[in-house]
Amino acid sequence: MRDTRPPLAFGAVAILHAIADGNRFGFEIMDATGLTSGTVYPALDRLESLGYLESRWEDARVARRDKRPPRRYFDLTAAGARALAAALTRYKNLRPVSLAAWKIRPNET
Amino acid sequence: MRLLLRLLLAMIDLGARLAPRSRRRAWRRQWRADIVHEWQWLSRTDAGVIGRATLVRRAAGALRHAFWLRGHVRRLEMISHDLRYGWRQMLRRPGVTVAAVVTLGLGIGANVMMYSWLDGRLRGLIPGAVDSNRLVAMNGVWQTRNTLNTSYQDFLDFRERRPATIDDLFVYTLVPLNMRIDGDPMRVFGEVVSGNYFDVLGVGPALGRMFLHDEGTTPNRYAVVVLSYNFWERRFAGDRSVIGRTVTLNGRAFTVVGVAAKGFRGAEPYLNLDLWVPVVMQPSLTAGGDRLSVRGNHWLEAMVRLKPGVPIARAQADLNIVAADLGRTYPADSFPAVQLYELWRAPSMGGAAVTAVMGIQLGVAAIVLLIACANVANLLLASAATRQRETAMRLTLGASRGRLVQQLLTESTLLAVAGGVTGLVFAYWTKDLVRAFVPPAPLPIDIEPQLNGVVLLFGVAITVATAFVFGLVPALQGSQASIVTALKETASGATTSPRRARLRQALVVAQVALSLLLLVSAGLFIRTLVNAQSVDPGFSLRSGLLASIDLQASGYDTARGRAFQEQLVARVRDVPGIEAASVAQRLPLGFGSSGDMSVTVEGYTPAPNEEMHVYYNRVGPAFFATMGIGIFAGREFSERDGDGARDVAVINETLARRYFPGRSAIGGRIQAGRRAVEVVGIARDGKYQSVSEPPRPFMYLPLQQWYRPDIVLIARTTGDPAARVTALQAAVHALDPNLPLFDVRTVAEHLEVSVFIQRMIATLLGGFGALALLLAVVGLYGVIAAITAQRTTEIGMRMALGATRRDIVALILRQGCSVTMTGVAVGLAAAFAVTRLFRSLLVGVTATDTISFIGTTLLLVAVALIACYVPARRAAAVDPLQALRNE
């Protein structure tokens, strides 16, 4: 059956992208996306209830070794990966623009 | 530094109270872990003040997260809770649920069915064509008319000089053809089309090829034909070797070159065509000589394909430049302007035949939907009434009104979805029923209902609208319960608030009124149908045979044709069982039986802007005697009114009165086209095009003087006309064994066709009127039953105090009657207002026909009484002891 869920907003795509890129928990994702915590945490829950993400608690032994509580890790589900791929195709057009008119060279950040 | 961490963690501990209980632990754990981790990292890297500020800012987002979770969780929980609760409610009252679902199913199903019928037309789709939305019809404009056809010469000029805003244009027209495959004659319907027809429509071949350029442009040389897929399957059993085969069309051999793609039925909606022939073959196919070279012969429908994105007005303006130029160059033949029409309102034949019905159809569908919706609203109101205590309890326990409305709306949505599914199933089952609404017609009318995505979407939209609009009122009403009164009442004795009872009764009144409106309309059309069959069409011929003959197709030239027609009539007259015979160009009350010409009458000065168009017919000798049309003054045509004799005409009373006021019309002269004719007789008025038309001026011309090769043979018979068919055919074949007689029919069958539109509307309204009546009765029953159920205690009390069962029945019936009668009053008023809109379609009944009004009202009242009697009986059967014990 076709996926009838609405296409993702840009913020949600950024979050899925960050997670696919190896960022696993809240603060990392904020660092990667530049979004605020008030956006990222609800978005993570929402994406999880949509079935795009799944979360689990960090292995307690690892956490104990680092002297801190276990964190909540997020991972892409298969549906999330598909949604991300679809969204990236949609946003593909955003990549190759020339900003030379503003005196900005490609790859300059 | 550690202090900061402590503060932040304390904030998280406090903030945890904001998070919903079910997620509180997880929330706290997640945030604590993330903050600790971040803090550790900051401590290691010595990020300084900026890093710490960032941590604080980020940690503050935890509160927003908690708030968000609160709403999120509640939304999820509420929806699933409401759904489960609604489902249980539905199961708890299976009677109400089934009634609501079936009602909704009928209402939605009826609309989906109607819409599936109209979908293609409304969206202007040509099945099988590419991008139909860029196709528009083009018609000529002349004086007050704007639906005129195009001539072939004008088409060529338009095409050559087509503006940049249009892609292309093509012409076509419907032609009935006599076809022979291996000797078997049959009647088929095709279109003659310009060579670019398939290209512009975007239709490719399923087999073989479409027309080549030369075939589409060289007059009368390439006899080729493309079959429709449907026809190919039906007549040739899908035989692929059909390409290259020869078939005979109107006497000429044509080679099959291709079969059009599956699903393409022709350029007209509602018509299912058999084949297509290049328009340049017209001289071989239709009567009336070579029409291709005559610029003044406007016989073709034109269709234009716009360039993408071009608005219709712009294309029309551009085409009008060409039209104006043509009008200047050929002032006598070309129209000075054109009008473009979107396909859904194109004035061409297939659409026009059905368009008259369409307005009524849409009205009917809307009314049925309204009735169904009122029914559902009523059922929901009823359930809200019995749930007053529950509602009040929830309000007392702190539920908000919005929450209750949401709960009730969820329930109505559940009902609507169930109803919508049922409706789609109904629509699917009854899909082919549509064809039953189409009586036999002399055209290949074939309505193909589509159950496509758009139709489904339409069904879903209706379902949602129903759920929302008619769920909202009961929901708002239901959530309004007065806490104190409701809680005071006992469960069974809960009386309905007067306001809600009024609202429910108003809904039933509306239902009764609407269904009465439909029933009255149905009654009018059924009476019309009865009357139309007995209406005086102006001729008395009832027992007779009719047959169409085309001499052109059999290779007769004008001189031979004239001679043949004379011999034919003489020969047929001698057939035993045939009393009289004649020929005519067309018959009164046939499909498309109109032809008019511009005339001037000697001694009559037209008023400014008066258009002197007169409808006419060309008829043979003894036509009036054969048809039984009275001649008031003068004489009718005889064999002496032949070619070369004085040009004469017979006119009808209306023409005589209008154009020869205060003087004798006999001997008067009329300029008809390029010829002047002398009036020799005045005939009785009659019906010419439809049984419902008003009297109109009409002129008869002698067929021998105004020759036509395509004629109708009319034979008056004694006894059963069907028994004379063989003798008639034998008489014709004795004259010419190769001349096909097509469309042999009795006069009775012909008259049947003349009430086609009325029959269609009567069938439609009858069916839907019955459905509306059923729904209204279900609604009435529901309301009376619910009111009665709520009055059980009261009834028990009355009976304990000495009321008899008869009294109780009378009590309930009185209540039902008052609701019904109010509905009847409103419905009659509405019917008086509405029925005059289709006055022009009625025959022999006024729009306020007493019999239709009273008859349908009685029917409705009778059925309504039965609907009330059932709950009344049940109420009367109440055991007073039992009823009071519940108190």
Side-chain angles (χ1 to χ4, degrees), chain A residues 25 27-28 58 66-69 71 73, chain B residues 5 31-44 55:
Chain A
F25 69 102
F27 277 44
E28 268 180 2
E58 192 185 7
D66 288 349
K67 296 192 179 70
R68 56 177 175 77
R71 292 173 309 177
Y73 271 34
Chain B
L5 180 62
W31 276 100
R32 284 182 70 100
D34 284 3
I35 287 171
V36 169
H37 181 263
E38 181 80 353
W39 181 83
Q40 283 179 344
W41 185 79
L42 282 178
S43 318
R44 274 201 302 275
L55 177 61

PDB file of all heavy atoms in Angstrom, chain A residues 25 27-28 58 66-69 71 73, chain B residues 5 31-44 55:
ATOM      1  N   PHE A  25      21.454  11.198  19.664  1.00  0.00           N
ATOM      2  CA  PHE A  25      20.571  11.660  20.739  1.00  0.00           C
ATOM      3  C   PHE A  25      20.421  13.181  20.685  1.00  0.00           C
ATOM      4  O   PHE A  25      21.102  13.880  19.923  1.00  0.00           O
ATOM      5  CB  PHE A  25      21.061  11.163  22.096  1.00  0.00           C
ATOM      6  CG  PHE A  25      22.340  11.800  22.555  1.00  0.00           C
ATOM      7  CD1 PHE A  25      22.298  12.814  23.517  1.00  0.00           C
ATOM      8  CD2 PHE A  25      23.568  11.413  22.041  1.00  0.00           C
ATOM      9  CE1 PHE A  25      23.477  13.398  23.927  1.00  0.00           C
ATOM     10  CE2 PHE A  25      24.721  11.992  22.460  1.00  0.00           C
ATOM     11  CZ  PHE A  25      24.698  12.999  23.399  1.00  0.00           C
ATOM     12  N   PHE A  27      21.012  16.248  22.046  1.00  0.00           N
ATOM     13  CA  PHE A  27      21.917  17.376  21.915  1.00  0.00           C
ATOM     14  C   PHE A  27      22.770  17.285  20.659  1.00  0.00           C
ATOM     15  O   PHE A  27      23.052  18.278  20.012  1.00  0.00           O
ATOM     16  CB  PHE A  27      22.797  17.489  23.184  1.00  0.00           C
ATOM     17  CG  PHE A  27      22.096  18.218  24.300  1.00  0.00           C
ATOM     18  CD1 PHE A  27      20.774  17.930  24.601  1.00  0.00           C
ATOM     19  CD2 PHE A  27      22.746  19.209  25.033  1.00  0.00           C
ATOM     20  CE1 PHE A  27      20.120  18.608  25.621  1.00  0.00           C
ATOM     21  CE2 PHE A  27      22.094  19.885  26.043  1.00  0.00           C
ATOM     22  CZ  PHE A  27      20.780  19.596  26.360  1.00  0.00           C
ATOM     23  N   GLU A  28      23.169  16.052  20.326  1.00  0.00           N
ATOM     24  CA  GLU A  28      23.937  15.858  19.088  1.00  0.00           C
ATOM     25  C   GLU A  28      23.144  16.324  17.881  1.00  0.00           C
ATOM     26  O   GLU A  28      23.668  16.973  16.981  1.00  0.00           O
ATOM     27  CB  GLU A  28      24.248  14.363  18.914  1.00  0.00           C
ATOM     28  CG  GLU A  28      25.552  13.937  19.508  1.00  0.00           C
ATOM     29  CD  GLU A  28      25.800  12.437  19.300  1.00  0.00           C
ATOM     30  OE1 GLU A  28      24.956  11.773  18.649  1.00  0.00           O
ATOM     31  OE2 GLU A  28      26.800  11.963  19.781  1.00  0.00           O
ATOM     32  N   GLU A  58      20.281   3.719  26.196  1.00  0.00           N
ATOM     33  CA  GLU A  58      21.680   3.339  26.053  1.00  0.00           C
ATOM     34  C   GLU A  58      22.018   2.177  27.002  1.00  0.00           C
ATOM     35  O   GLU A  58      21.405   2.051  28.064  1.00  0.00           O
ATOM     36  CB  GLU A  58      22.519   4.555  26.451  1.00  0.00           C
ATOM     37  CG  GLU A  58      23.977   4.472  26.117  1.00  0.00           C
ATOM     38  CD  GLU A  58      24.700   5.688  26.668  1.00  0.00           C
ATOM     39  OE1 GLU A  58      24.055   6.465  27.406  1.00  0.00           O
ATOM     40  OE2 GLU A  58      25.871   5.867  26.375  1.00  0.00           O
ATOM     41  N   ASP A  66      30.868   5.772  32.182  1.00  0.00           N
ATOM     42  CA  ASP A  66      31.076   7.209  31.975  1.00  0.00           C
ATOM     43  C   ASP A  66      30.521   8.054  33.113  1.00  0.00           C
ATOM     44  O   ASP A  66      30.491   9.281  33.024  1.00  0.00           O
ATOM     45  CB  ASP A  66      30.417   7.657  30.667  1.00  0.00           C
ATOM     46  CG  ASP A  66      31.186   7.149  29.451  1.00  0.00           C
ATOM     47  OD1 ASP A  66      32.308   6.643  29.665  1.00  0.00           O
ATOM     48  OD2 ASP A  66      30.666   7.259  28.322  1.00  0.00           O
ATOM     49  N   LYS A  67      30.028   7.387  34.162  1.00  0.00           N
ATOM     50  CA  LYS A  67      29.481   8.085  35.327  1.00  0.00           C
ATOM     51  C   LYS A  67      28.346   9.036  34.950  1.00  0.00           C
ATOM     52  O   LYS A  67      28.348  10.219  35.295  1.00  0.00           O
ATOM     53  CB  LYS A  67      30.586   8.867  36.056  1.00  0.00           C
ATOM     54  CG  LYS A  67      31.668   7.973  36.631  1.00  0.00           C
ATOM     55  CD  LYS A  67      32.539   8.785  37.577  1.00  0.00           C
ATOM     56  CE  LYS A  67      33.630   7.958  38.200  1.00  0.00           C
ATOM     57  NZ  LYS A  67      34.700   7.564  37.205  1.00  0.00           N
ATOM     58  N   ARG A  68      27.405   8.571  34.218  1.00  0.00           N
ATOM     59  CA  ARG A  68      26.239   9.397  33.864  1.00  0.00           C
ATOM     60  C   ARG A  68      25.062   8.454  33.590  1.00  0.00           C
ATOM     61  O   ARG A  68      25.269   7.258  33.363  1.00  0.00           O
ATOM     62  CB  ARG A  68      26.516  10.281  32.650  1.00  0.00           C
ATOM     63  CG  ARG A  68      26.953   9.476  31.440  1.00  0.00           C
ATOM     64  CD  ARG A  68      27.155  10.325  30.223  1.00  0.00           C
ATOM     65  NE  ARG A  68      27.688   9.490  29.146  1.00  0.00           N
ATOM     66  CZ  ARG A  68      26.950   8.664  28.435  1.00  0.00           C
ATOM     67  NH1 ARG A  68      25.658   8.574  28.658  1.00  0.00           N
ATOM     68  NH2 ARG A  68      27.497   7.906  27.492  1.00  0.00           N
ATOM     69  N   PRO A  69      23.846   8.981  33.651  1.00  0.00           N
ATOM     70  CA  PRO A  69      22.672   8.131  33.371  1.00  0.00           C
ATOM     71  C   PRO A  69      22.640   7.719  31.899  1.00  0.00           C
ATOM     72  O   PRO A  69      23.171   8.447  31.058  1.00  0.00           O
ATOM     73  CB  PRO A  69      21.472   9.037  33.690  1.00  0.00           C
ATOM     74  CG  PRO A  69      22.023  10.299  34.261  1.00  0.00           C
ATOM     75  CD  PRO A  69      23.465  10.378  33.896  1.00  0.00           C
ATOM     76  N   ARG A  71      21.468   7.398  28.149  1.00  0.00           N
ATOM     77  CA  ARG A  71      20.731   8.365  27.336  1.00  0.00           C
ATOM     78  C   ARG A  71      19.753   7.660  26.405  1.00  0.00           C
ATOM     79  O   ARG A  71      19.844   6.456  26.182  1.00  0.00           O
ATOM     80  CB  ARG A  71      21.723   9.187  26.504  1.00  0.00           C
ATOM     81  CG  ARG A  71      22.560  10.096  27.364  1.00  0.00           C
ATOM     82  CD  ARG A  71      23.626  10.747  26.551  1.00  0.00           C
ATOM     83  NE  ARG A  71      24.375   9.760  25.777  1.00  0.00           N
ATOM     84  CZ  ARG A  71      25.334  10.090  24.921  1.00  0.00           C
ATOM     85  NH1 ARG A  71      25.646  11.340  24.736  1.00  0.00           N
ATOM     86  NH2 ARG A  71      25.967   9.157  24.254  1.00  0.00           N
ATOM     87  N   TYR A  73      18.629   6.899  22.855  1.00  0.00           N
ATOM     88  CA  TYR A  73      19.198   6.893  21.513  1.00  0.00           C
ATOM     89  C   TYR A  73      18.086   6.785  20.470  1.00  0.00           C
ATOM     90  O   TYR A  73      17.123   6.068  20.675  1.00  0.00           O
ATOM     91  CB  TYR A  73      20.136   5.689  21.343  1.00  0.00           C
ATOM     92  CG  TYR A  73      21.552   5.974  21.752  1.00  0.00           C
ATOM     93  CD1 TYR A  73      21.817   6.841  22.817  1.00  0.00           C
ATOM     94  CD2 TYR A  73      22.616   5.383  21.079  1.00  0.00           C
ATOM     95  CE1 TYR A  73      23.112   7.102  23.188  1.00  0.00           C
ATOM     96  CE2 TYR A  73      23.915   5.642  21.448  1.00  0.00           C
ATOM     97  CZ  TYR A  73      24.150   6.503  22.503  1.00  0.00           C
ATOM     98  OH  TYR A  73      25.442   6.756  22.868  1.00  0.00           O
TER      99      TYR A  73
ATOM    100  N   LEU B   5      24.786  22.430  37.261  1.00  0.00           N
ATOM    101  CA  LEU B   5      24.200  21.120  36.961  1.00  0.00           C
ATOM    102  C   LEU B   5      23.077  20.818  37.936  1.00  0.00           C
ATOM    103  O   LEU B   5      21.992  20.380  37.552  1.00  0.00           O
ATOM    104  CB  LEU B   5      25.276  20.044  37.025  1.00  0.00           C
ATOM    105  CG  LEU B   5      24.762  18.629  36.728  1.00  0.00           C
ATOM    106  CD1 LEU B   5      24.210  18.552  35.311  1.00  0.00           C
ATOM    107  CD2 LEU B   5      25.855  17.595  36.937  1.00  0.00           C
ATOM    108  N   TRP B  31      15.952  13.708  29.728  1.00  0.00           N
ATOM    109  CA  TRP B  31      16.551  15.045  29.887  1.00  0.00           C
ATOM    110  C   TRP B  31      17.703  15.038  30.873  1.00  0.00           C
ATOM    111  O   TRP B  31      18.721  15.690  30.643  1.00  0.00           O
ATOM    112  CB  TRP B  31      15.480  16.056  30.303  1.00  0.00           C
ATOM    113  CG  TRP B  31      14.745  16.575  29.092  1.00  0.00           C
ATOM    114  CD1 TRP B  31      13.550  16.177  28.638  1.00  0.00           C
ATOM    115  CD2 TRP B  31      15.237  17.572  28.188  1.00  0.00           C
ATOM    116  NE1 TRP B  31      13.232  16.855  27.493  1.00  0.00           N
ATOM    117  CE2 TRP B  31      14.256  17.721  27.190  1.00  0.00           C
ATOM    118  CE3 TRP B  31      16.400  18.343  28.114  1.00  0.00           C
ATOM    119  CZ2 TRP B  31      14.385  18.614  26.132  1.00  0.00           C
ATOM    120  CZ3 TRP B  31      16.538  19.242  27.067  1.00  0.00           C
ATOM    121  CH2 TRP B  31      15.533  19.363  26.076  1.00  0.00           C
ATOM    122  N   ARG B  32      17.563  14.314  31.957  1.00  0.00           N
ATOM    123  CA  ARG B  32      18.663  14.256  32.931  1.00  0.00           C
ATOM    124  C   ARG B  32      19.914  13.704  32.255  1.00  0.00           C
ATOM    125  O   ARG B  32      20.998  14.281  32.374  1.00  0.00           O
ATOM    126  CB  ARG B  32      18.289  13.365  34.127  1.00  0.00           C
ATOM    127  CG  ARG B  32      17.341  14.018  35.097  1.00  0.00           C
ATOM    128  CD  ARG B  32      17.066  13.097  36.273  1.00  0.00           C
ATOM    129  NE  ARG B  32      18.242  12.954  37.123  1.00  0.00           N
ATOM    130  CZ  ARG B  32      18.424  13.610  38.260  1.00  0.00           C
ATOM    131  NH1 ARG B  32      17.468  14.411  38.703  1.00  0.00           N
ATOM    132  NH2 ARG B  32      19.518  13.454  38.976  1.00  0.00           N
ATOM    133  N   ALA B  33      19.726  12.623  31.522  1.00  0.00           N
ATOM    134  CA  ALA B  33      20.880  11.990  30.887  1.00  0.00           C
ATOM    135  C   ALA B  33      21.539  12.938  29.892  1.00  0.00           C
ATOM    136  O   ALA B  33      22.772  13.080  29.869  1.00  0.00           O
ATOM    137  CB  ALA B  33      20.432  10.718  30.169  1.00  0.00           C
ATOM    138  N   ASP B  34      20.716  13.619  29.087  1.00  0.00           N
ATOM    139  CA  ASP B  34      21.279  14.499  28.075  1.00  0.00           C
ATOM    140  C   ASP B  34      22.006  15.680  28.709  1.00  0.00           C
ATOM    141  O   ASP B  34      23.079  16.087  28.264  1.00  0.00           O
ATOM    142  CB  ASP B  34      20.165  15.000  27.141  1.00  0.00           C
ATOM    143  CG  ASP B  34      19.753  13.915  26.156  1.00  0.00           C
ATOM    144  OD1 ASP B  34      20.291  12.794  26.268  1.00  0.00           O
ATOM    145  OD2 ASP B  34      18.892  14.177  25.286  1.00  0.00           O
ATOM    146  N   ILE B  35      21.405  16.220  29.786  1.00  0.00           N
ATOM    147  CA  ILE B  35      22.029  17.385  30.424  1.00  0.00           C
ATOM    148  C   ILE B  35      23.341  16.983  31.089  1.00  0.00           C
ATOM    149  O   ILE B  35      24.360  17.667  30.944  1.00  0.00           O
ATOM    150  CB  ILE B  35      21.048  18.024  31.439  1.00  0.00           C
ATOM    151  CG1 ILE B  35      19.936  18.747  30.665  1.00  0.00           C
ATOM    152  CG2 ILE B  35      21.780  19.015  32.343  1.00  0.00           C
ATOM    153  CD1 ILE B  35      18.809  19.219  31.549  1.00  0.00           C
ATOM    154  N   VAL B  36      23.338  15.845  31.780  1.00  0.00           N
ATOM    155  CA  VAL B  36      24.563  15.395  32.434  1.00  0.00           C
ATOM    156  C   VAL B  36      25.662  15.182  31.395  1.00  0.00           C
ATOM    157  O   VAL B  36      26.792  15.632  31.559  1.00  0.00           O
ATOM    158  CB  VAL B  36      24.303  14.090  33.231  1.00  0.00           C
ATOM    159  CG1 VAL B  36      25.628  13.474  33.676  1.00  0.00           C
ATOM    160  CG2 VAL B  36      23.407  14.368  34.414  1.00  0.00           C
ATOM    161  N   HIS B  37      25.305  14.531  30.324  1.00  0.00           N
ATOM    162  CA  HIS B  37      26.288  14.245  29.285  1.00  0.00           C
ATOM    163  C   HIS B  37      26.877  15.535  28.724  1.00  0.00           C
ATOM    164  O   HIS B  37      28.091  15.682  28.578  1.00  0.00           O
ATOM    165  CB  HIS B  37      25.636  13.425  28.173  1.00  0.00           C
ATOM    166  CG  HIS B  37      26.574  13.080  27.080  1.00  0.00           C
ATOM    167  ND1 HIS B  37      26.650  13.813  25.931  1.00  0.00           N
ATOM    168  CD2 HIS B  37      27.495  12.086  26.961  1.00  0.00           C
ATOM    169  CE1 HIS B  37      27.564  13.294  25.133  1.00  0.00           C
ATOM    170  NE2 HIS B  37      28.101  12.231  25.748  1.00  0.00           N
ATOM    171  N   GLU B  38      25.984  16.507  28.448  1.00  0.00           N
ATOM    172  CA  GLU B  38      26.431  17.768  27.891  1.00  0.00           C
ATOM    173  C   GLU B  38      27.344  18.506  28.887  1.00  0.00           C
ATOM    174  O   GLU B  38      28.369  19.081  28.534  1.00  0.00           O
ATOM    175  CB  GLU B  38      25.204  18.630  27.541  1.00  0.00           C
ATOM    176  CG  GLU B  38      25.532  19.971  26.923  1.00  0.00           C
ATOM    177  CD  GLU B  38      25.856  19.857  25.425  1.00  0.00           C
ATOM    178  OE1 GLU B  38      25.939  18.714  24.927  1.00  0.00           O
ATOM    179  OE2 GLU B  38      26.029  20.899  24.779  1.00  0.00           O
ATOM    180  N   TRP B  39      26.939  18.419  30.177  1.00  0.00           N
ATOM    181  CA  TRP B  39      27.690  19.108  31.214  1.00  0.00           C
ATOM    182  C   TRP B  39      29.091  18.498  31.324  1.00  0.00           C
ATOM    183  O   TRP B  39      30.074  19.204  31.435  1.00  0.00           O
ATOM    184  CB  TRP B  39      26.933  19.015  32.542  1.00  0.00           C
ATOM    185  CG  TRP B  39      27.626  19.709  33.666  1.00  0.00           C
ATOM    186  CD1 TRP B  39      27.567  21.038  33.947  1.00  0.00           C
ATOM    187  CD2 TRP B  39      28.471  19.105  34.615  1.00  0.00           C
ATOM    188  NE1 TRP B  39      28.338  21.334  35.013  1.00  0.00           N
ATOM    189  CE2 TRP B  39      28.913  20.143  35.455  1.00  0.00           C
ATOM    190  CE3 TRP B  39      28.914  17.789  34.848  1.00  0.00           C
ATOM    191  CZ2 TRP B  39      29.773  19.916  36.510  1.00  0.00           C
ATOM    192  CZ3 TRP B  39      29.764  17.572  35.920  1.00  0.00           C
ATOM    193  CH2 TRP B  39      30.187  18.625  36.730  1.00  0.00           C
ATOM    194  N   GLN B  40      29.154  17.182  31.269  1.00  0.00           N
ATOM    195  CA  GLN B  40      30.444  16.500  31.336  1.00  0.00           C
ATOM    196  C   GLN B  40      31.340  16.958  30.197  1.00  0.00           C
ATOM    197  O   GLN B  40      32.512  17.244  30.376  1.00  0.00           O
ATOM    198  CB  GLN B  40      30.254  14.981  31.240  1.00  0.00           C
ATOM    199  CG  GLN B  40      29.761  14.358  32.516  1.00  0.00           C
ATOM    200  CD  GLN B  40      29.559  12.857  32.351  1.00  0.00           C
ATOM    201  OE1 GLN B  40      29.502  12.349  31.224  1.00  0.00           O
ATOM    202  NE2 GLN B  40      29.464  12.148  33.462  1.00  0.00           N
ATOM    203  N   TRP B  41      30.740  17.061  29.046  1.00  0.00           N
ATOM    204  CA  TRP B  41      31.519  17.439  27.873  1.00  0.00           C
ATOM    205  C   TRP B  41      32.036  18.878  28.008  1.00  0.00           C
ATOM    206  O   TRP B  41      33.171  19.185  27.717  1.00  0.00           O
ATOM    207  CB  TRP B  41      30.617  17.315  26.626  1.00  0.00           C
ATOM    208  CG  TRP B  41      31.344  17.558  25.364  1.00  0.00           C
ATOM    209  CD1 TRP B  41      32.162  16.694  24.707  1.00  0.00           C
ATOM    210  CD2 TRP B  41      31.333  18.755  24.581  1.00  0.00           C
ATOM    211  NE1 TRP B  41      32.663  17.250  23.570  1.00  0.00           N
ATOM    212  CE2 TRP B  41      32.154  18.533  23.467  1.00  0.00           C
ATOM    213  CE3 TRP B  41      30.707  19.995  24.718  1.00  0.00           C
ATOM    214  CZ2 TRP B  41      32.368  19.508  22.494  1.00  0.00           C
ATOM    215  CZ3 TRP B  41      30.915  20.965  23.755  1.00  0.00           C
ATOM    216  CH2 TRP B  41      31.727  20.713  22.648  1.00  0.00           C
ATOM    217  N   LEU B  42      31.129  19.769  28.537  1.00  0.00           N
ATOM    218  CA  LEU B  42      31.521  21.151  28.754  1.00  0.00           C
ATOM    219  C   LEU B  42      32.680  21.222  29.738  1.00  0.00           C
ATOM    220  O   LEU B  42      33.637  21.982  29.547  1.00  0.00           O
ATOM    221  CB  LEU B  42      30.346  21.960  29.312  1.00  0.00           C
ATOM    222  CG  LEU B  42      29.278  22.396  28.302  1.00  0.00           C
ATOM    223  CD1 LEU B  42      28.166  23.135  29.018  1.00  0.00           C
ATOM    224  CD2 LEU B  42      29.889  23.280  27.229  1.00  0.00           C
ATOM    225  N   SER B  43      32.593  20.399  30.814  1.00  0.00           N
ATOM    226  CA  SER B  43      33.633  20.435  31.833  1.00  0.00           C
ATOM    227  C   SER B  43      34.964  20.020  31.241  1.00  0.00           C
ATOM    228  O   SER B  43      36.004  20.604  31.537  1.00  0.00           O
ATOM    229  CB  SER B  43      33.313  19.483  32.988  1.00  0.00           C
ATOM    230  OG  SER B  43      31.975  19.570  33.312  1.00  0.00           O
ATOM    231  N   ARG B  44      34.900  19.013  30.358  1.00  0.00           N
ATOM    232  CA  ARG B  44      36.146  18.517  29.768  1.00  0.00           C
ATOM    233  C   ARG B  44      36.769  19.551  28.845  1.00  0.00           C
ATOM    234  O   ARG B  44      37.946  19.735  28.792  1.00  0.00           O
ATOM    235  CB  ARG B  44      35.880  17.238  28.985  1.00  0.00           C
ATOM    236  CG  ARG B  44      35.916  15.998  29.860  1.00  0.00           C
ATOM    237  CD  ARG B  44      36.168  14.758  29.013  1.00  0.00           C
ATOM    238  NE  ARG B  44      35.165  14.588  27.975  1.00  0.00           N
ATOM    239  CZ  ARG B  44      33.990  13.979  28.187  1.00  0.00           C
ATOM    240  NH1 ARG B  44      33.687  13.514  29.392  1.00  0.00           N
ATOM    241  NH2 ARG B  44      33.133  13.849  27.218  1.00  0.00           N
ATOM    242  N   LEU B  55      23.972  25.626  27.274  1.00  0.00           N
ATOM    243  CA  LEU B  55      23.400  24.499  27.997  1.00  0.00           C
ATOM    244  C   LEU B  55      22.107  24.916  28.693  1.00  0.00           C
ATOM    245  O   LEU B  55      21.097  24.211  28.630  1.00  0.00           O
ATOM    246  CB  LEU B  55      24.416  23.969  29.023  1.00  0.00           C
ATOM    247  CG  LEU B  55      23.892  22.830  29.904  1.00  0.00           C
ATOM    248  CD1 LEU B  55      23.500  21.631  29.063  1.00  0.00           C
ATOM    249  CD2 LEU B  55      24.933  22.428  30.948  1.00  0.00           C
TER     250      LEU B  55
END
